[in-house]
Amino acid sequence: MSNFGQILEKIGEFGLFQKRLVAALCIPIVFAAFDVIGQVFTGLSFPHHCNTDWILKLGPNLTEERRKNLTLPVNKAGKYESCEMFSPVDLDLEIIEAYGINTTTGCINGWDFEAPKGASSIVTEFNLVCDRSTLIEASQSIYMAGLLIGALVLGQMADRFGRRFVVLLSLLLLLVFGVGAGFSPNIYVYIVLKFVCGFSVSGIILNSSVIGGEWSDSSKFALCTIICHSTFSLGLMLLCGIAYLIPNWRILQLVLYSPLVVVLGIFYWILPESARWLITQGRKEEAIKEVRRAARVNGREVLEDLLDKLDDEGASKRGSMLDIFRISYLRKRAIIMSYVWSGTNLVYFGLILNVGSFGLDIYLTQFVFAFVEFPACLGSLPLIQHFGRKICLAGFLLFAGAACLGTLVIPKDLPVVVTIIAVVAACAATASLAIIYVYTAELYPTTLRQNGVGLNSMCASVAGILAPLIRLLDVYHYTIPMLIYGIVSIVAGGTCLLLPETLNVELQDHADLLKPENGPQTRSFNEEEKSEKSTKM
């Protein structure tokens, strides 16, 4: 057991201090959920057709239906075209009614949207329909690029400057740019602001659970991580209700992000730095101060001779992402986990961002997705504690992929059945996401943990970028997106079987090889790998 492990045993491995810390760290995850899925509601699309007010100059008393009949062509389904209109002509109304108009054009005067009273979205304000509709998917993909860059940059910053600094910085960026997005004058400014929001969300998601986990015993790391990430589902449910009550997207942005002013102020005063990280950086005095603070909250006393032993661990060389690729077993883990993260994120975002295409009410469907995600996330905890991380992650990914492929055999005129299967797939993908954060953090040492998690999250963000773009392939055949999501998920499930198991393995603090410990509860990764050549990484 490491010196810090002995200190935790004395001050409380999961006492009031840790419980209060984990509960507080759940709050930023809720706001991260608002931001990741928010565009499902701020980007709502409504029935629309070309603005044809030009004909009102010829017949100001025309009814709405009569005006559409004279100015809009009808498609094969007998409905008015959304992106075409009859070309404006300088003729009398009687001639137009008698002979009609034979030429068509695009919507040269904008569009009319059949939105409920008071409702608006970036689609209606910025006219993201017809030839501009691809800007919605582009916006989502660029947002995912923000997640990618954030994972790359903020992961390294967390290992260099600390977890606390990155969480506070991320909250500040999300507050400023989340509120700022509500004042966007056009779609291009909105996309830039959301890119920065995505950048900040990576810092929140990657570091919130890690702080709680590093303050707890190794056996509680999974509990801390999964509790934090389960609140993502609570954030989604809350988002559905708020978005339903506030149909105006600009007001919705302000309501969602303004409370971060209070959260940021509170966190500045109460959020501790990870003592485990401080020790690896040689910042003994700061680490002792945080340890005594935790002991005081837990009602324990820490022996001075244990604090003096912190010098024995000393400061390790500052790690960088390149160190992961220099050390063979870390390099293998990083490569495998990068693909597993990509497959998990691809199927999750492919489903969650596509709820509007399942044929049911978007608010209800999104709420159901979030509602079933919560028990799926929490339910993964006893499973990984009993069966291990590797088997459970593989099983959920294989199940999610199979469910995606299962939707392809259901007739399109049964949207309820398709939605149920998609919800089941989303449950499995959610459980996979919860497990993957636990598993990945346990695979890397403290000095490189956020570099490793950031690297894998960066690859996951690439999949997040591709997920909305893959949906565009349905113009060639409606089965292509789900086929890709399913196959990639199944392959990811098989690939993670190549990784070592981390159940009951003590967290590794340094990247150098650890001496084997006695007993199954404290063995190191390297001991496990030497004893199991088939899973040696």
Side-chain angles (χ1 to χ4, degrees), residues 495-534:
T495 304
C496 72
L497 293 173
L498 301 174
L499 292 165
E501 182 54 69
T502 61
L503 177 63
N504 296 328
V505 178
E506 184 179 357
L507 286 180
Q508 188 179 349
D509 283 333
H510 303 281
D512 51 352
L513 299 179
L514 300 178
K515 292 181 181 180
E517 300 282 349
N518 294 325
Q521 299 299 315
T522 58
R523 56 184 181 156
S524 71
F525 290 126
N526 301 289
E527 177 191 4
E528 180 186 74
E529 289 167 352
K530 290 176 183 177
S531 64
E532 298 182 27
K533 292 184 178 179
S534 63

Short mmCIF file of all heavy atoms in Angstrom, two decimals, residues 495-534:
data_model
loop_
_atom_site.label_atom_id
_atom_site.label_comp_id
_atom_site.label_asym_id
_atom_site.label_seq_id
_atom_site.Cartn_x
_atom_site.Cartn_y
_atom_site.Cartn_z
N THR A 495 -12.65 -5.74 -28.89
CA THR A 495 -11.30 -5.22 -28.71
C THR A 495 -10.94 -5.02 -27.25
O THR A 495 -9.81 -5.26 -26.83
CB THR A 495 -11.15 -3.87 -29.45
OG1 THR A 495 -11.49 -4.05 -30.82
CG2 THR A 495 -9.72 -3.35 -29.36
N CYS A 496 -11.90 -4.58 -26.42
CA CYS A 496 -11.58 -4.30 -25.02
C CYS A 496 -11.25 -5.56 -24.23
O CYS A 496 -10.72 -5.48 -23.12
CB CYS A 496 -12.70 -3.51 -24.35
SG CYS A 496 -14.19 -4.45 -24.03
N LEU A 497 -11.53 -6.73 -24.80
CA LEU A 497 -11.16 -7.98 -24.14
C LEU A 497 -9.65 -8.18 -24.11
O LEU A 497 -9.14 -9.03 -23.37
CB LEU A 497 -11.82 -9.17 -24.85
CG LEU A 497 -13.35 -9.25 -24.74
CD1 LEU A 497 -13.89 -10.37 -25.61
CD2 LEU A 497 -13.78 -9.46 -23.29
N LEU A 498 -8.91 -7.39 -24.89
CA LEU A 498 -7.46 -7.48 -24.91
C LEU A 498 -6.80 -6.74 -23.74
O LEU A 498 -5.59 -6.82 -23.56
CB LEU A 498 -6.92 -6.91 -26.23
CG LEU A 498 -7.42 -7.58 -27.52
CD1 LEU A 498 -6.93 -6.81 -28.74
CD2 LEU A 498 -6.96 -9.03 -27.58
N LEU A 499 -7.60 -6.00 -22.97
CA LEU A 499 -7.07 -5.20 -21.87
C LEU A 499 -6.98 -6.02 -20.58
O LEU A 499 -7.70 -7.00 -20.41
CB LEU A 499 -7.96 -3.98 -21.63
CG LEU A 499 -7.96 -2.93 -22.74
CD1 LEU A 499 -9.13 -1.98 -22.55
CD2 LEU A 499 -6.65 -2.16 -22.75
N PRO A 500 -6.12 -5.61 -19.62
CA PRO A 500 -6.05 -6.29 -18.33
C PRO A 500 -7.22 -5.88 -17.44
O PRO A 500 -7.79 -4.81 -17.61
CB PRO A 500 -4.72 -5.80 -17.74
CG PRO A 500 -4.54 -4.44 -18.34
CD PRO A 500 -5.10 -4.54 -19.74
N GLU A 501 -7.56 -6.73 -16.49
CA GLU A 501 -8.60 -6.41 -15.53
C GLU A 501 -8.02 -5.52 -14.43
O GLU A 501 -6.85 -5.68 -14.05
CB GLU A 501 -9.17 -7.70 -14.93
CG GLU A 501 -10.31 -7.48 -13.94
CD GLU A 501 -11.43 -6.65 -14.53
OE1 GLU A 501 -12.12 -7.16 -15.43
OE2 GLU A 501 -11.58 -5.49 -14.09
N THR A 502 -8.82 -4.58 -13.93
CA THR A 502 -8.35 -3.68 -12.87
C THR A 502 -9.15 -3.80 -11.58
O THR A 502 -8.94 -3.03 -10.66
CB THR A 502 -8.41 -2.21 -13.35
OG1 THR A 502 -9.76 -1.86 -13.66
CG2 THR A 502 -7.52 -1.99 -14.56
N LEU A 503 -10.07 -4.76 -11.52
CA LEU A 503 -10.86 -4.94 -10.31
C LEU A 503 -9.96 -5.32 -9.14
O LEU A 503 -9.12 -6.23 -9.26
CB LEU A 503 -11.91 -6.03 -10.54
CG LEU A 503 -12.80 -6.39 -9.34
CD1 LEU A 503 -13.63 -5.20 -8.91
CD2 LEU A 503 -13.68 -7.59 -9.68
N ASN A 504 -10.10 -4.62 -8.00
CA ASN A 504 -9.33 -4.88 -6.78
C ASN A 504 -7.84 -4.64 -6.95
O ASN A 504 -7.02 -5.21 -6.21
CB ASN A 504 -9.56 -6.31 -6.28
CG ASN A 504 -10.99 -6.55 -5.85
OD1 ASN A 504 -11.66 -5.64 -5.37
ND2 ASN A 504 -11.47 -7.76 -6.05
N VAL A 505 -7.47 -3.83 -7.92
CA VAL A 505 -6.06 -3.47 -8.10
C VAL A 505 -5.85 -2.05 -7.59
O VAL A 505 -6.61 -1.13 -7.93
CB VAL A 505 -5.66 -3.56 -9.59
CG1 VAL A 505 -4.21 -3.13 -9.79
CG2 VAL A 505 -5.86 -4.98 -10.10
N GLU A 506 -4.83 -1.84 -6.76
CA GLU A 506 -4.58 -0.52 -6.19
C GLU A 506 -4.20 0.47 -7.28
O GLU A 506 -3.48 0.13 -8.23
CB GLU A 506 -3.46 -0.60 -5.15
CG GLU A 506 -3.22 0.73 -4.43
CD GLU A 506 -2.12 0.64 -3.39
OE1 GLU A 506 -1.59 -0.47 -3.19
OE2 GLU A 506 -1.80 1.68 -2.79
N LEU A 507 -4.67 1.71 -7.13
CA LEU A 507 -4.33 2.75 -8.10
C LEU A 507 -2.82 2.96 -8.15
O LEU A 507 -2.15 3.03 -7.12
CB LEU A 507 -5.01 4.07 -7.74
CG LEU A 507 -6.51 4.20 -7.99
CD1 LEU A 507 -6.99 5.58 -7.55
CD2 LEU A 507 -6.85 3.96 -9.44
N GLN A 508 -2.30 3.04 -9.35
CA GLN A 508 -0.89 3.26 -9.57
C GLN A 508 -0.61 4.76 -9.58
O GLN A 508 -1.30 5.52 -10.25
CB GLN A 508 -0.48 2.63 -10.91
CG GLN A 508 0.99 2.60 -11.19
CD GLN A 508 1.28 1.92 -12.53
OE1 GLN A 508 0.41 1.31 -13.13
NE2 GLN A 508 2.51 2.06 -12.98
N ASP A 509 0.39 5.21 -8.83
CA ASP A 509 0.70 6.63 -8.75
C ASP A 509 1.77 7.06 -9.75
O ASP A 509 1.76 8.18 -10.25
CB ASP A 509 1.15 7.02 -7.34
CG ASP A 509 -0.03 7.12 -6.38
OD1 ASP A 509 -1.14 7.41 -6.87
OD2 ASP A 509 0.16 6.92 -5.17
N HIS A 510 2.73 6.18 -10.02
CA HIS A 510 3.85 6.54 -10.89
C HIS A 510 3.90 5.60 -12.09
O HIS A 510 3.46 4.45 -12.02
CB HIS A 510 5.17 6.48 -10.12
CG HIS A 510 5.18 7.37 -8.91
ND1 HIS A 510 5.38 8.72 -8.99
CD2 HIS A 510 4.97 7.10 -7.59
CE1 HIS A 510 5.33 9.25 -7.77
NE2 HIS A 510 5.06 8.28 -6.90
N ALA A 511 4.50 6.06 -13.16
CA ALA A 511 4.54 5.29 -14.39
C ALA A 511 5.60 4.20 -14.37
O ALA A 511 5.60 3.32 -15.22
CB ALA A 511 4.78 6.21 -15.59
N ASP A 512 6.53 4.24 -13.39
CA ASP A 512 7.55 3.21 -13.33
C ASP A 512 6.93 1.92 -12.79
O ASP A 512 5.86 1.91 -12.21
CB ASP A 512 8.72 3.65 -12.46
CG ASP A 512 8.27 4.16 -11.10
OD1 ASP A 512 7.04 4.30 -10.90
OD2 ASP A 512 9.12 4.40 -10.25
N LEU A 513 7.65 0.81 -12.96
CA LEU A 513 7.12 -0.49 -12.57
C LEU A 513 7.04 -0.59 -11.05
O LEU A 513 7.97 -0.22 -10.34
CB LEU A 513 7.99 -1.62 -13.12
CG LEU A 513 8.10 -1.67 -14.66
CD1 LEU A 513 9.00 -2.82 -15.06
CD2 LEU A 513 6.73 -1.82 -15.28
N LEU A 514 5.93 -1.12 -10.57
CA LEU A 514 5.73 -1.27 -9.12
C LEU A 514 6.12 -2.67 -8.67
O LEU A 514 5.96 -3.65 -9.40
CB LEU A 514 4.26 -1.02 -8.77
CG LEU A 514 3.70 0.36 -9.12
CD1 LEU A 514 2.23 0.40 -8.75
CD2 LEU A 514 4.46 1.45 -8.40
N LYS A 515 6.62 -2.76 -7.44
CA LYS A 515 6.92 -4.07 -6.87
C LYS A 515 5.63 -4.76 -6.50
O LYS A 515 4.73 -4.14 -5.95
CB LYS A 515 7.80 -3.92 -5.63
CG LYS A 515 9.20 -3.40 -5.95
CD LYS A 515 10.03 -3.31 -4.68
CE LYS A 515 11.42 -2.78 -5.00
NZ LYS A 515 12.25 -2.67 -3.78
N PRO A 516 5.51 -6.06 -6.77
CA PRO A 516 4.28 -6.77 -6.44
C PRO A 516 4.00 -6.74 -4.95
O PRO A 516 4.90 -6.82 -4.12
CB PRO A 516 4.57 -8.21 -6.91
CG PRO A 516 5.67 -8.07 -7.92
CD PRO A 516 6.49 -6.91 -7.45
N GLU A 517 2.73 -6.58 -4.62
CA GLU A 517 2.28 -6.61 -3.23
C GLU A 517 1.63 -7.95 -2.96
O GLU A 517 1.15 -8.63 -3.86
CB GLU A 517 1.26 -5.49 -2.97
CG GLU A 517 1.80 -4.09 -3.24
CD GLU A 517 2.67 -3.59 -2.11
OE1 GLU A 517 2.67 -4.24 -1.05
OE2 GLU A 517 3.35 -2.58 -2.29
N ASN A 518 1.59 -8.34 -1.71
CA ASN A 518 0.94 -9.59 -1.34
C ASN A 518 -0.55 -9.39 -1.23
O ASN A 518 -1.02 -8.37 -0.77
CB ASN A 518 1.47 -10.10 0.00
CG ASN A 518 2.94 -10.49 -0.09
OD1 ASN A 518 3.37 -10.98 -1.12
ND2 ASN A 518 3.69 -10.27 0.99
N GLY A 519 -1.30 -10.38 -1.66
CA GLY A 519 -2.75 -10.32 -1.50
C GLY A 519 -3.42 -9.80 -2.73
O GLY A 519 -2.93 -8.91 -3.39
N PRO A 520 -4.56 -10.37 -3.07
CA PRO A 520 -5.27 -9.99 -4.28
C PRO A 520 -5.84 -8.59 -4.23
O PRO A 520 -6.15 -8.02 -5.25
CB PRO A 520 -6.41 -11.03 -4.37
CG PRO A 520 -6.62 -11.44 -2.93
CD PRO A 520 -5.30 -11.40 -2.31
N GLN A 521 -5.98 -8.01 -3.03
CA GLN A 521 -6.60 -6.70 -2.94
C GLN A 521 -5.65 -5.57 -3.24
O GLN A 521 -6.06 -4.45 -3.44
CB GLN A 521 -7.19 -6.50 -1.53
CG GLN A 521 -8.26 -7.49 -1.15
CD GLN A 521 -9.46 -7.42 -2.06
OE1 GLN A 521 -9.94 -6.34 -2.38
NE2 GLN A 521 -9.95 -8.56 -2.52
N THR A 522 -4.33 -5.85 -3.22
CA THR A 522 -3.37 -4.75 -3.38
C THR A 522 -2.37 -5.00 -4.49
O THR A 522 -1.37 -4.32 -4.59
CB THR A 522 -2.60 -4.51 -2.07
OG1 THR A 522 -1.93 -5.73 -1.70
CG2 THR A 522 -3.54 -4.08 -0.95
N ARG A 523 -2.61 -5.97 -5.32
CA ARG A 523 -1.62 -6.24 -6.36
C ARG A 523 -1.60 -5.13 -7.39
O ARG A 523 -2.59 -4.48 -7.66
CB ARG A 523 -1.92 -7.57 -7.04
CG ARG A 523 -3.30 -7.68 -7.63
CD ARG A 523 -3.54 -9.05 -8.20
NE ARG A 523 -4.86 -9.12 -8.78
CZ ARG A 523 -5.20 -9.97 -9.72
NH1 ARG A 523 -4.33 -10.81 -10.21
NH2 ARG A 523 -6.43 -9.98 -10.19
N SER A 524 -0.44 -4.95 -7.98
CA SER A 524 -0.26 -3.88 -8.96
C SER A 524 -0.63 -4.36 -10.33
O SER A 524 -0.76 -5.56 -10.59
CB SER A 524 1.19 -3.39 -8.96
OG SER A 524 2.02 -4.38 -9.53
N PHE A 525 -0.74 -3.41 -11.26
CA PHE A 525 -1.04 -3.77 -12.64
C PHE A 525 0.05 -4.67 -13.20
O PHE A 525 -0.20 -5.61 -13.93
CB PHE A 525 -1.13 -2.51 -13.51
CG PHE A 525 -2.32 -1.68 -13.20
CD1 PHE A 525 -2.18 -0.34 -12.89
CD2 PHE A 525 -3.57 -2.22 -13.23
CE1 PHE A 525 -3.28 0.43 -12.62
CE2 PHE A 525 -4.69 -1.46 -12.97
CZ PHE A 525 -4.53 -0.12 -12.66
N ASN A 526 1.28 -4.35 -12.88
CA ASN A 526 2.39 -5.06 -13.50
C ASN A 526 2.48 -6.50 -13.00
O ASN A 526 2.85 -7.40 -13.74
CB ASN A 526 3.68 -4.32 -13.20
CG ASN A 526 3.63 -2.92 -13.74
OD1 ASN A 526 3.66 -2.72 -14.93
ND2 ASN A 526 3.49 -1.93 -12.85
N GLU A 527 2.13 -6.71 -11.73
CA GLU A 527 2.09 -8.08 -11.22
C GLU A 527 1.04 -8.87 -11.95
O GLU A 527 1.25 -10.01 -12.35
CB GLU A 527 1.79 -8.06 -9.73
CG GLU A 527 1.66 -9.45 -9.12
CD GLU A 527 1.11 -9.41 -7.73
OE1 GLU A 527 0.75 -8.31 -7.26
OE2 GLU A 527 1.01 -10.48 -7.13
N GLU A 528 -0.11 -8.22 -12.15
CA GLU A 528 -1.22 -8.89 -12.83
C GLU A 528 -0.84 -9.25 -14.26
O GLU A 528 -1.10 -10.33 -14.76
CB GLU A 528 -2.45 -8.00 -12.82
CG GLU A 528 -3.63 -8.63 -13.52
CD GLU A 528 -4.78 -7.65 -13.61
OE1 GLU A 528 -4.69 -6.72 -14.42
OE2 GLU A 528 -5.74 -7.83 -12.88
N GLU A 529 -0.15 -8.31 -14.89
CA GLU A 529 0.20 -8.52 -16.30
C GLU A 529 1.23 -9.63 -16.45
O GLU A 529 1.22 -10.39 -17.42
CB GLU A 529 0.69 -7.22 -16.89
CG GLU A 529 -0.45 -6.23 -17.06
CD GLU A 529 0.07 -4.83 -17.34
OE1 GLU A 529 1.29 -4.62 -17.26
OE2 GLU A 529 -0.76 -3.96 -17.63
N LYS A 530 2.16 -9.74 -15.47
CA LYS A 530 3.17 -10.78 -15.55
C LYS A 530 2.56 -12.16 -15.30
O LYS A 530 3.03 -13.16 -15.83
CB LYS A 530 4.28 -10.52 -14.54
CG LYS A 530 5.13 -9.30 -14.91
CD LYS A 530 6.14 -9.00 -13.83
CE LYS A 530 6.95 -7.75 -14.16
NZ LYS A 530 7.89 -7.39 -13.09
N SER A 531 1.52 -12.18 -14.46
CA SER A 531 0.90 -13.46 -14.12
C SER A 531 -0.11 -13.91 -15.16
O SER A 531 -0.50 -15.06 -15.19
CB SER A 531 0.23 -13.37 -12.75
OG SER A 531 -0.83 -12.44 -12.80
N GLU A 532 -0.54 -12.98 -16.02
CA GLU A 532 -1.54 -13.30 -17.04
C GLU A 532 -1.02 -12.83 -18.38
O GLU A 532 -1.30 -11.73 -18.82
CB GLU A 532 -2.88 -12.65 -16.73
CG GLU A 532 -3.49 -13.13 -15.44
CD GLU A 532 -4.84 -12.49 -15.21
OE1 GLU A 532 -5.49 -12.12 -16.20
OE2 GLU A 532 -5.25 -12.33 -14.06
N LYS A 533 -0.20 -13.66 -19.03
CA LYS A 533 0.41 -13.24 -20.28
C LYS A 533 -0.61 -12.93 -21.35
O LYS A 533 -0.37 -12.12 -22.24
CB LYS A 533 1.37 -14.32 -20.77
CG LYS A 533 2.59 -14.49 -19.87
CD LYS A 533 3.55 -15.52 -20.44
CE LYS A 533 4.78 -15.65 -19.56
NZ LYS A 533 5.73 -16.65 -20.09
N SER A 534 -1.74 -13.56 -21.27
CA SER A 534 -2.75 -13.32 -22.30
C SER A 534 -3.32 -11.92 -22.25
O SER A 534 -3.89 -11.45 -23.22
CB SER A 534 -3.89 -14.33 -22.15
OG SER A 534 -4.53 -14.16 -20.91
#
